[in-house]
Amino acid sequence: MSDSGTRTDSCTAARRTRDHDGSMKFVERQPFADPDAAARRIVEIANGVEAVQDGRVFIERVNEPFLAAGGSGGQFRAGIERAVALGWLWRH
């Protein structure tokens, strides 16, 4: 809750945390904290990667660009799981 009593959306507002001395500091928003956003980015990357056999793509060819774009390992895993659940990707 903000000072005005309204709830702020964590996706649109920077999170504030307390530093060890009690002062406030702002934490940058994670671009792929939402599994749907991570899944969309993973599918975009996978579509740009050359398939090796029967439309298959090595996971390393998707993982590296995702991490370079600012994602974390946990966000990658959540994005993959979400993309599989939505039927956008499948594991072999």
Side-chain angles (χ1 to χ4, degrees), residues 7 37 51 54 61 63 69 76 80 86:
R7 187 177 168 156
D54 299 329
R61 301 287 180 152
N63 185 316
F76 181 77
I80 288 286
L86 293 171

Side-chain angles (χ1 to χ4, degrees), residues 19-41:
D19 203 357
H20 66 278
D21 63 355
S23 63
M24 295 294 287
K25 65 178 184 177
F26 288 92
V27 179
E28 289 187 35
R29 188 178 74 174
Q30 294 291 317
F32 305 115
D34 177 27
D36 287 331
R40 283 189 297 274
R41 183 65 181 137

Side-chain angles (χ1 to χ4, degrees), residues 32-43 59 62 66 72-89 91:
F32 305 115
D34 177 27
D36 287 331
R40 283 189 297 274
R41 183 65 181 137
I42 289 168
V43 170
I59 196 74
V62 179
F66 182 83
S72 69
Q75 292 167 346
F76 181 77
R77 181 180 180 100
I80 288 286
E81 290 174 359
R82 184 68 178 148
V84 169
L86 293 171
W88 297 348
L89 298 175
R91 296 177 192 210

